Amino acid sequence: MAAPHATAPAPEGTLRLPGVLSTEQLHRSAHYLARSQEEDGAIPWFPGGHTDVWDHVECAMALTVTGLSVPEHGEAARRAYLWLERTRHPEGGWPAKFRQGVPVTELREANHAAYPAVGLFHHLLVTGDTGFAERTWPVVESGLEFVLGLRGEHGEILWARSEDGSPGDHALLTVCASVHHALRCGVALGARLGRDRPEWSAAADRLATLINEREDLFSDRSRFSMDWFYPVLGGAVRGAAAKERIGERWDTFVMPGLGVRCVSDQPWVTAAESSELVLTLAAVGDVEGGVRVMRDVQHLRDPDDGVYWTGYQFAEQVRWPVERSTWTSAAVILAVDALTGTTPGSRVFLHTWDEEPAVR
């Protein structure tokens, strides 16, 4: 891994990664998200595809970032968050999948329910819109309370509540790392709105302890790169331990010149996993390494419209799957923001929202 490298931030709102992506290129990628948005505010995986809350929120965050320069993107992000108000399950959380506004399952996943806390805290940091944060606070609160209802014996979060209402029988490391991030963001958002939630802090502390000390509690998904880097991306593993964790499996998952594997045993790199590793590297201060990974994955950018293909099967030398997922382009935008510190929202992924902004 490369040593940390300082880079001067771009002027606020001018999102770009010099030598890799221009502002115009990133705005074109964001246009795809706005074009894909359905009339009710949902942002599906691709036009005409299904919607899930986690990826929907990731797209909303990317639109919030570019919304500083492109007002219609900011409005699209607001509509996306208001969609969450209308689609909550009456017993908490959200159905795991929607198609054209209609739930197609009663399964409710923990990470889906938690992630609006990250997105809406991000929105407040970027826009400063306290009124919108107040309006959408019930979305955050109900989502995180649903998640806490899925706590297991040791404080781990079971991955979902099934269609019959019963909790799942196992916990996933990536899910718990994402929930840890969401609980921290929920606490920070609540503090800014005068709503202290000490139970959320305690639950996040417990998850951090389990992630660092009891990885045996989680189902083995070690072949997935997300289980490798998400404990760092979600802020549970910090400092020297974070850098050590990333170094341990770097050669397993990172394919120089291509990007990051989704799973260790398949010849498949994806732009989303690559971008999420970039977010992780930014969080540990390895900006130079993050820029290199971001540069490597640009072969998945469609030069005609700036949209990213989901992945590349390098044994067969084909892009796969054929759909171009919205959340892939969103992950690229968020990764560039984290590398450059262009918007205050980047601090959600750098875990620095309670610190004075630093020159990166």
Side-chain angles (χ1 to χ4, degrees):
M1 294 174 62
H5 174 72
T7 182
E12 185 170 282
T14 309
L15 186 68
R16 62 177 181 268
L17 188 60
V20 181
L21 288 164
S22 68
T23 301
E24 188 273 337
Q25 287 175 317
L26 288 160
H27 285 176
R28 290 181 70 201
S29 299
H31 289 330
Y32 177 58
L33 312 183
R35 293 197 310 271
S36 300
Q37 189 172 38
E38 297 173 351
E39 289 187 7
D40 64 358
I43 305 176
W45 279 30
F46 48 86
H50 74 271
T51 301
D52 76 71
V53 166
W54 200 101
D55 292 300
H56 167 89
V57 169
E58 186 168 37
C59 292
M61 284 194 283
L63 287 167
T64 302
V65 167
T66 60
L68 287 177
S69 301
V70 186
E72 55 265 36
H73 291 178
E75 181 55 34
R78 287 173 59 90
R79 293 200 298 120
Y81 286 124
L82 294 177
W83 178 84
L84 295 172
E85 283 187 331
R86 301 189 299 271
T87 54
R88 283 183 289 170
H89 190 281
E91 297 179 4
W94 285 264
K97 183 182 290 188
F98 294 81
R99 194 174 296 278
Q100 283 75 59
V102 179
V104 296
T105 178
E106 290 295 308
L107 179 75
R108 290 166 285 158
E109 297 186 29
N111 59 310
H112 291 187
Y115 212 55
V118 179
L120 285 163
F121 182 45
H122 176 271
H123 188 271
L124 177 62
L125 290 180
V126 174
T127 66
D129 190 343
T130 304
F132 191 75
E134 290 277 5
R135 173 175 176 174
T136 53
W137 172 253
V139 170
V140 173
E141 187 171 41
S142 64
L144 291 178
E145 290 298 325
F146 169 80
V147 167
L148 294 185
L150 285 168
R151 278 179 288 191
E153 178 183 358
H154 303 281
E156 74 278 21
I157 304 297
L158 303 176
W159 77 281
R161 193 167 291 282
S162 66
E163 294 193 343
D164 66 6
S166 60
D169 60 0
H170 62 279
L172 299 173
L173 181 59
T174 295
V175 167
C176 286
S178 180
V179 168
H180 171 271
H181 190 198
L183 286 165
R184 296 288 191 211
C185 289
V187 169
L189 176 59
R192 284 159 172 78
L193 299 178
R195 295 178 171 88
D196 293 334
R197 293 295 183 270
E199 184 182 4
W200 297 358
S201 291
D205 289 344
R206 183 58 183 159
L207 280 177
T209 297
L210 296 177
I211 290 168
N212 280 277
E213 301 177 5
R214 291 294 311 275
E215 200 164 325
D216 60 292
L217 287 175
F218 305 103
S219 295
D220 184 8
R221 296 290 191 275
S222 57
R223 60 190 286 264
F224 288 87
S225 61
M226 291 183 75
D227 262 26
W228 163 51
F229 61 71
Y230 229 97
V232 180
L233 175 55
V237 180
R238 307 290 295 273
K243 294 180 180 180
E244 181 180 354
R245 184 181 183 92
I246 296 305
E248 284 173 351
R249 305 196 72 191
W250 181 272
D251 292 338
T252 299
F253 289 111
V254 178
M255 305 298 295
L258 292 177
V260 177
R261 290 180 188 255
C262 178
V263 290
S264 61
D265 55 353
Q266 293 295 324
W268 184 40
V269 296
T270 67
E273 268 81 1
S274 299
S275 298
E276 288 171 338
L277 179 61
V278 171
L279 288 168
T280 305
L281 294 173
V284 300
D286 187 4
V287 174
E288 183 176 332
V291 171
R292 187 169 62 250
V293 173
M294 183 55 67
R295 181 181 291 112
D296 285 350
V297 84
Q298 293 311 306
H299 66 96
L300 286 171
R301 180 183 179 85
D302 190 325
D304 292 334
D305 59 8
V307 180
Y308 284 81
W309 298 91
T310 300
Y312 178 69
Q313 213 280 9
F314 52 85
E316 300 294 332
Q317 298 184 358
V318 295
R319 290 167 175 161
W320 185 85
V322 294
E323 296 86 6
R324 301 181 301 171
S325 47
T326 50
W327 39 267
T328 292
S329 292
V332 170
I333 292 166
L334 294 174
V336 170
D337 190 34
L339 285 174
T340 60
T342 301
T343 79
S346 64
R347 297 165 71 181
V348 163
F349 294 103
L350 303 176
H351 307 284
T352 58
W353 52 77
D354 289 327
E355 302 172 11
E356 289 300 317
V359 176
R360 295 179 57 76

